[in-house]
Amino acid sequence: MTTTPSRNPSQDLSQNPPQERPQERAREAQQSPSEAFWPDGARLAVTLTLQFEAGGQPIGGAPGPIADPVLPGFPDLGQNSYYEYGAREGVPRLLDLFDKHGIKVSAYMVGEAVRRHPDVAHEIVRRGHEAGAHGLAWQRQYHMARPQETAWIAESAEIIQQATGTRPTGYTNYWFRPGVNTLEILSELGFRYHIDDLSADEPFLQAINGKPFATVPYTAHLNDIVSFDFAGFDPAAYERQVVDEFEQLFEEGAHRRRMMVLALHDRVSGHASRVRVLDRVLTRLRERDDVWWARKDQIADWVLARPESAAWVERAPAPVSGLPGPSA
């Protein structure tokens, strides 16, 4: 990222109208020598994402381990049982793993998955994990008209609140593809952050609807769908990659705010052998005592409460920049 003057973008939008803005400008966090990057002087924040999607997929045509595609118009009964595994086996097994290591995670829940399995959603929150929103069902959100998208997001949040007793403050889209209006809608509905951005290894703030809105970036290369769902999957190589990522970011964390994200899915990482891999990885990473293991709402709240020491990104409107940001 290139540095720019330390003016707070949320206080200066009128001086930089959209037609004069560059595609993206960013300024790094300005830290005083005595100011910690993270709580209690932690050198690195590590955050785990759990996607709870069982039952949110279409009844026919969802991807999965059964390679032969179902004919159009028929429910894909065998493939759907693969997704059901996430609710019946995957989530309980992963929750036990998190308990073993004393880790709290952020679970992004598809509305229809919660509607089908409210007890699973409730148990996730009961164990101390964050309930984030992940849309109403598996449907491309970016092509919706703004009123339709607003209702879509609001309904998913209401379903989660009814099942868990908590209102989501974080959001992720289907295949992390927001639309040009998404961030403004989220801000209007009371969300504080989203994760559908792959551009940084630290959280940052943007001015959305004239006030700070947080991005807690997601990961593609440490996403279990990318790591596990191919024929040449090598558990040892995955283990090495996660540890190497951790060690590099931990080293960088001596000089700047750094964050590591590990992305899991109920039906993928919840299998017995894959939980064993995660167990070994977490055991290794937990040897460090100067790491903040945080939910993403905690990370978002940390930077929102410290806007003067946060990294800010200013982007042209999304249709111009091609990046998540304001609509106009």
Side-chain angles (χ1 to χ4, degrees):
M1 293 182 181
T2 57
T3 58
T4 61
S6 61
R7 186 185 301 273
N8 185 325
S10 69
Q11 299 172 348
D12 196 32
L13 296 182
S14 63
Q15 303 302 316
N16 191 20
Q19 64 270 25
E20 298 176 1
R21 294 180 195 166
Q23 296 300 301
E24 175 177 273
R25 295 195 307 173
R27 69 172 176 83
E28 304 298 346
Q30 302 298 312
Q31 302 287 344
S32 67
S34 62
E35 185 178 18
F37 294 116
W38 297 116
D40 300 321
R43 190 160 159 172
L44 174 66
V46 179
T47 181
L48 273 62
T49 297
L50 171 60
Q51 306 291 65
F52 176 37
E53 299 177 335
Q57 78 281 358
I59 195 170
I66 303 175
D68 184 44
V70 70
L71 295 174
F74 289 87
D76 197 344
L77 305 182
Q79 202 88 289
N80 288 331
S81 70
Y82 163 68
Y83 287 86
E84 191 70 7
Y85 185 94
R88 294 187 60 183
E89 301 284 359
V91 171
R93 187 175 284 128
L94 286 166
L95 292 181
D96 288 345
L97 177 71
F98 303 147
D99 284 351
K100 175 181 178 179
H101 291 278
I103 294 171
K104 304 303 179 187
V105 310
S106 295
Y108 296 92
M109 306 180 179
V110 177
E112 289 299 331
V114 175
R115 203 193 305 269
R116 287 172 177 259
H117 306 286
D119 55 331
V120 176
H122 183 270
E123 180 64 10
I124 290 171
V125 171
R126 189 192 70 79
R127 297 217 201 174
H129 306 292
E130 176 192 2
H134 191 16
L136 189 57
W138 273 16
Q139 184 175 332
R140 293 177 179 86
Q141 190 177 314
Y142 55 82
H143 65 84
M144 295 181 181
R146 187 162 185 156
Q148 181 188 7
E149 185 179 6
T150 301
W152 170 270
I153 296 172
E155 184 176 354
S156 70
E158 181 62 28
I159 293 170
I160 293 168
Q161 184 171 15
Q162 289 179 1
T164 68
T166 63
R167 187 80 177 179
T169 63
Y171 194 83
T172 180
N173 290 266
Y174 173 68
W175 274 111
F176 46 90
R177 279 200 172 103
V180 297
N181 299 310
T182 303
L183 297 195
E184 292 179 353
I185 293 171
L186 291 173
S187 175
E188 292 165 2
L189 292 175
F191 287 83
R192 298 196 298 273
Y193 77 95
H194 82 124
I195 69 172
D196 294 324
D197 193 301
L198 304 173
S199 68
D201 287 319
E202 65 177 319
F204 57 85
L205 300 180
Q206 292 176 270
I208 302 295
N209 294 333
K211 59 184 181 181
F213 187 82
T215 296
V216 183
Y218 196 40
T219 179
H221 68 291
L222 292 185
N223 191 306
D224 58 3
I225 286 182
V226 175
S227 300
F228 291 154
D229 279 8
F230 66 97
F233 168 63
D234 180 351
Y238 171 75
E239 202 171 327
R240 182 73 257 167
Q241 181 190 26
V242 174
V243 172
D244 283 347
E245 181 94 0
F246 176 88
E247 295 294 347
Q248 177 63 30
L249 291 174
F250 187 85
E251 180 179 307
E252 294 175 9
H255 307 290
R256 60 183 298 193
R257 181 174 283 143
R258 301 280 77 186
M259 180 186 75
M260 175 177 166
V261 182
L262 191 61
L264 315 173
H265 288 72
D266 52 6
R267 66 193 175 277
V268 181
S269 287
H271 282 276
S273 59
R274 292 166 183 174
V275 163
R276 279 291 175 125
V277 175
L278 283 171
D279 190 17
R280 292 195 296 271
V281 167
L282 294 175
T283 298
R284 169 73 180 272
L285 270 52
R286 296 287 280 171
E287 293 174 356
R288 303 277 195 177
D289 58 7
D290 46 356
V291 173
W292 184 33
W293 293 82
R295 300 173 3 164
K296 290 178 181 59
D297 58 342
Q298 294 172 320
I299 292 173
D301 288 347
W302 177 263
V303 294
L304 284 166
R306 296 160 179 80
E308 292 307 316
S309 67
W312 281 83
V313 169
E314 183 181 1
R315 290 170 175 167
V320 177
S321 72
L323 295 165
S327 64

